[in-house]
Amino acid sequence: MALQDICNFQSVFEDRLTTEYPAVPHGKKIASSYVSGLPFSNNKSLFHFYIPVAEYLDESPIQFGQISTVQNCSAVSSEDPFLTSSSLPTCLPFASSQSVPLPFPMAHGTTTLAFMFQGGVMAAADTRSSCSGLVACPASQKILPIHSHLVGLTSGTSADCALWKRILARELRLYQLRHGRRLSTSGAAKLLSHMLHPFKGTELCVAATLCGWDGGETGPGSRGETTKNQMTELFYVCSDGTRLRGMLFSVGSGSPYAYSILDQGVHWGLSVDEAKSIAREAVYRATYRDAYSGNCVDMYHITSKGWTRRNREDLKEEYYREKERRKHEKTERRDVTFSD
Amino acid sequence: MALLQVTDFQSFSEVRGQILPVRQRHLVDRTNHYNFGSKTQEFAVPPGVEPSGFLKSCNRDGGVCIEMNHGTTTLAFKFRHGVIVAVDSRASAGRYLASNDVNKVIEINPYLLGTMSGSAADCQYWERLLAKECRLYRLRNNHRISVAAASKLLSNMMLGYRGMGLSMGSMICGWDKEGPGLYYVDDNGTRLSGRMFSTGCGNSFAYGVVDSGYREDMTVEEAYELGRRGIAHATHRDAYSGGVVNMYHMQEDGWIKVCKEDVSELIHCYRKGMF
């Protein structure tokens, strides 16, 4: 994708591309012309999306399937496309001028977390993809590496997150090819935030946490690892425009459970093993209580040498171990009382 | 309240109601509207009034901005040496903090405690009513009411007004012949017995801490520390919880109040050495 843009590769279909397609999401489609060729292959604008011709797709795809009132409120009738935003359930913060009920409920529940410490950045996430009560995939990947020193954690709608991660990866690679150096994490977060901005107010739901190491591999290491002037960066970018820098973030429906564990144990001077065990415990506790998080835990550790991935661990084992432990404690207790 | 009922004292308005024709009885005001063991079950809501509809019209959808009190964190867990009950002390009405020093534990009697979360008014009223019923039970039957029975009374009260807009999430804790007892009772009529509960909008934060640190064979000091940490971390992350941690320990011979500590000091203490 990126390389084709750079070398201005002209594909056979390019002469049929139309540039009249509006990039602004709220405009209606001008003509139902057939835009073929690769998506994003026109390097004039980022937002030329590939649109198949079909009668029901008269509106722009951004507006297709906009407002969903499915989650736990009453359903919106599909004959009324102009409902005002006051009928939105309070769980969705976005308002949109037009509403068409979603064809299926979107996936939103997850637990992802990331924190900085002296040994780099630790990122962990569960692996359950849920779709309003159904576990759509018990082994999905929510931590997506963007390049060797940048990892993104995704939360929100899985499809949106996967797409925007790829777009971000492409843009970062383009930047690297054009300027000869990698874009910093702060710049990557800003780029993602600006790319998501035109979609503000639509149903797009992306809450990404970018964890990265800036600078060359030799630079920070020579300054010593205990200094806080490290090149690790942690940013939280959200599709409603939030862009925050911090040292600890947890996103998703299971985040409150994880936050309290992290607040207890995370501090700058952690060793790598301690950090791993805290991250694991936090995700485990979130999966213990939250219905939309579960299955396995993925962990990534980002240092000056890039990211390293730990083997995916099934939390079912941990659950059974804990159950055994509790049963053991209970029998111990009974023994103690009988021996009095 | 209890003594009035036991001695069959009739206030003037009740006597007058008996003299007047039956159809006008609805307008007579009663001092106690919920009678156990009485011939008919009566509800204080006059026929024709629909509380839940009225409440809906008071929401944001109806254009009115009356926000009910809802934010809190309470937790309780059973362990070898009894039951620990820990609550925060913040009362919020929407974005406004009404008070940072509310006691959300009602001391029903020296061996029963009830916590309050949800609408403060509902909790206080219904738990006082529960206290009255527990006292009546003791007077009539000459032995203390069990925790299971007390929680059942409360849950039946809630079921009587189900769907009418009550908001209450409470934990009834006590020690009776069966040992330590902990029940969760809610405005839908849910009544659950369990080892550990946490209610309120900060409950998820408390669950993480207590699940992680709980062991059956904890010492008393460790249990106190766990309760304090649970509330402290929940108040740290949840905007609607805060103030002080009020902690009670339910022992075999009654409850004791353990401490009343400011959460900001606790958090400073726990997060020393952090960022």
Side-chain angles (χ1 to χ4, degrees), chain B residues 6-26:
Chain B
V6 171
T7 55
D8 250 351
F9 175 77
Q10 281 181 336
S11 69
F12 173 71
S13 49
E14 285 186 3
V15 173
R16 187 159 170 269
Q18 282 166 358
I19 299 169
L20 288 178
V22 178
R23 68 174 181 279
Q24 281 187 322
R25 268 196 111 127
H26 292 299

Side-chain angles (χ1 to χ4, degrees), chain B:
Chain B
M1 271 209 294
L3 206 51
L4 271 181
Q5 197 173 344
V6 171
T7 55
D8 250 351
F9 175 77
Q10 281 181 336
S11 69
F12 173 71
S13 49
E14 285 186 3
V15 173
R16 187 159 170 269
Q18 282 166 358
I19 299 169
L20 288 178
V22 178
R23 68 174 181 279
Q24 281 187 322
R25 268 196 111 127
H26 292 299
L27 302 171
V28 173
D29 94 324
R30 304 184 188 91
T31 48
N32 51 345
H33 55 78
Y34 199 89
N35 294 313
F36 284 103
S38 68
K39 305 121 214 162
T40 56
Q41 202 171 49
E42 313 154 336
F43 298 112
V45 180
V49 170
E50 212 226 304
S52 55
F54 166 71
L55 278 174
K56 277 205 190 87
S57 70
C58 288
N59 281 345
R60 208 158 278 271
D61 302 333
V64 175
C65 281
I66 299 176
E67 307 239 16
M68 304 292 178
N69 305 330
H70 273 272
T72 190
T73 311
T74 67
L75 68 89
F77 57 89
K78 271 197 283 201
F79 72 119
R80 181 184 294 195
H81 302 287
V83 188
I84 297 285
V85 177
V87 300
D88 77 311
S89 68
R90 177 170 289 185
S92 54
R95 285 187 303 225
Y96 171 67
L97 286 189
S99 164
N100 238 1
D101 198 10
V102 173
N103 193 1
K104 298 187 186 178
V105 173
I106 177 169
E107 301 153 3
I108 296 176
N109 56 44
Y111 49 90
L112 263 188
L113 287 175
T115 66
M116 306 195 260
S117 78
S119 161
D122 284 336
C123 289
Q124 283 175 345
Y125 179 78
W126 289 103
E127 297 196 16
R128 271 207 82 198
L129 204 57
L130 177 67
K132 171 201 135 196
E133 291 300 332
C134 292
R135 178 77 183 131
L136 276 176
Y137 183 97
R138 169 82 176 83
L139 289 170
R140 288 177 181 142
N141 301 295
N142 219 14
H143 67 268
R144 292 177 185 168
I145 192 171
S146 65
V147 186
S151 60
K152 192 99 192 184
L153 282 178
L154 186 61
S155 129
N156 286 341
M157 290 179 206
M158 291 296 114
L159 281 168
Y161 290 87
R162 189 177 148 103
M164 295 194 200
L166 285 180
S167 161
M168 185 199 81
S170 150
M171 294 181 295
I172 305 295
C173 329
W175 194 304
D176 56 18
K177 285 197 287 281
E178 323 277 326
L182 176 59
Y183 284 84
Y184 167 72
V185 178
D186 148 315
D187 54 279
N188 294 322
T190 309
R191 172 178 165 266
L192 298 167
S193 163
R195 188 172 45 93
M196 184 236 163
F197 290 107
S198 174
T199 65
C201 56
N203 71 350
S204 36
F205 302 100
Y207 270 129
V209 172
V210 181
D211 279 339
S212 167
Y214 178 86
R215 279 174 307 115
E216 175 82 30
D217 56 355
M218 281 189 288
T219 65
V220 172
E221 272 310 314
E222 285 172 351
Y224 290 166
E225 186 57 23
L226 191 62
R228 258 196 293 263
R229 267 187 181 266
I231 297 291
H233 284 291
T235 58
H236 180 59
R237 286 286 176 183
D238 178 30
Y240 295 109
S241 308
V244 299
V245 180
N246 279 313
M247 186 149 56
Y248 289 74
H249 178 194
M250 177 66 66
Q251 297 164 327
E252 191 158 4
D253 50 358
W255 53 261
I256 55 166
K257 178 151 188 184
V258 176
C259 72
K260 180 176 161 147
E261 288 182 22
D262 191 315
V263 290
S264 13
E265 278 157 36
L266 281 177
I267 283 286
H268 274 293
C269 185
Y270 295 148
R271 304 199 72 191
K272 242 186 269 193
M274 294 196 186
F275 312 115

Side-chain angles (χ1 to χ4, degrees), chain A:
Chain A
M1 270 205 308
L3 209 48
Q4 272 173 325
D5 277 347
I6 277 285
C7 40
N8 271 334
F9 177 70
Q10 297 285 338
S11 80
V12 179
F13 302 105
E14 282 237 348
D15 48 6
R16 283 207 268 149
L17 271 175
T18 164
T19 53
E20 280 157 40
Y21 186 71
V24 178
H26 286 294
K28 280 214 166 243
K29 207 170 129 196
I30 293 168
S32 50
S33 55
Y34 183 66
V35 178
S36 71
L38 294 163
F40 314 118
S41 55
N42 183 342
N43 53 8
K44 288 196 187 124
S45 157
L46 283 173
F47 302 116
H48 277 212
F49 289 101
Y50 172 66
I51 304 138
V53 167
E55 280 73 19
Y56 65 90
L57 278 184
D58 230 356
E59 297 169 346
S60 99
I62 313 302
Q63 285 158 336
F64 169 67
Q66 272 319 307
I67 304 306
S68 149
T69 50
V70 169
Q71 255 125 18
N72 37 17
C73 314
S74 53
V76 171
S77 71
S78 51
E79 294 97 51
D80 188 1
F82 295 108
L83 277 173
T84 55
S85 53
S86 61
S87 64
L88 272 178
T90 48
C91 46
L92 293 173
F94 318 112
S96 174
S97 51
Q98 290 189 359
S99 61
V100 172
L102 280 175
F104 48 79
M106 297 292 201
H108 276 270
T110 190
T111 308
T112 65
L113 57 95
F115 58 89
M116 275 165 58
F117 66 112
Q118 54 84 17
V121 184
M122 183 64 67
D126 73 310
T127 60
R128 178 176 287 185
S129 268
S130 57
C131 199
S132 177
L134 167 72
V135 176
C137 175
S140 56
Q141 201 173 23
K142 299 189 189 179
I143 309 189
L144 305 170
I146 297 178
H147 60 70
S148 62
H149 286 73
L150 181 63
V151 146
L153 289 91
T154 65
S155 159
T157 316
S158 337
D160 287 332
C161 288
L163 175 69
W164 283 101
K165 273 293 138 58
R166 279 206 81 193
I167 296 177
L168 182 67
R170 167 191 172 260
E171 289 303 316
L172 291 183
R173 180 75 180 131
L174 275 175
Y175 185 94
Q176 186 176 7
L177 289 169
R178 287 178 183 138
H179 296 95
R181 62 179 177 86
R182 272 205 297 263
L183 187 57
S184 65
T185 314
S186 165
K190 201 146 211 167
L191 186 61
L192 183 61
S193 168
H194 287 168
M195 287 198 291
L196 290 175
H197 182 71
F199 299 94
K200 187 173 159 84
T202 65
E203 270 275 316
L204 191 72
C205 183
V206 173
T209 312
L210 296 176
C211 331
W213 183 286
D214 305 332
E217 287 190 11
T218 51
S222 56
R223 261 187 264 159
E225 269 101 36
T226 49
T227 170
K228 280 203 185 173
N229 289 332
Q230 256 187 296
M231 309 292 250
T232 46
E233 293 278 5
L234 188 53
F235 277 88
Y236 169 69
V237 179
C238 182
S239 51
D240 60 6
T242 313
R243 176 178 162 265
L244 297 170
R245 170 198 250 139
M247 303 193 97
L248 185 151
F249 284 111
S250 171
V251 189
S253 56
S255 66
Y257 307 99
Y259 264 127
S260 48
I261 306 282
L262 294 173
D263 280 343
Q264 274 194 102
V266 168
H267 58 95
W268 184 259
L270 283 175
S271 73
V272 176
D273 286 327
E274 283 172 351
K276 281 193 175 145
S277 78
I278 287 184
R280 199 170 141 272
E281 175 74 6
V283 175
Y284 172 63
R285 285 296 155 202
T287 60
Y288 186 76
R289 285 283 177 185
D290 181 32
Y292 294 110
S293 311
N295 299 102
C296 310
V297 58
D298 269 339
M299 273 203 286
Y300 279 68
H301 179 208
I302 298 108
T303 55
S304 62
K305 300 186 179 39
W307 53 260
T308 49
R309 186 193 170 177
R310 217 177 95 131
N311 273 336
R312 175 171 277 198
E313 184 184 338
D314 194 340
L315 287 174
K316 186 177 57 177
E317 313 293 323
E318 179 64 32
Y319 177 72
Y320 286 132
R321 265 200 297 262
E322 194 186 0
K323 220 162 131 184
E324 277 304 312
R325 215 176 20 234
R326 300 254 186 263
K327 206 159 57 173
H328 187 63
E329 283 168 12
K330 255 213 169 84
T331 52
E332 250 182 31
R333 174 199 187 175
R334 232 173 284 136
D335 292 340
V336 166
T337 51
F338 280 148
S339 65
D340 282 344

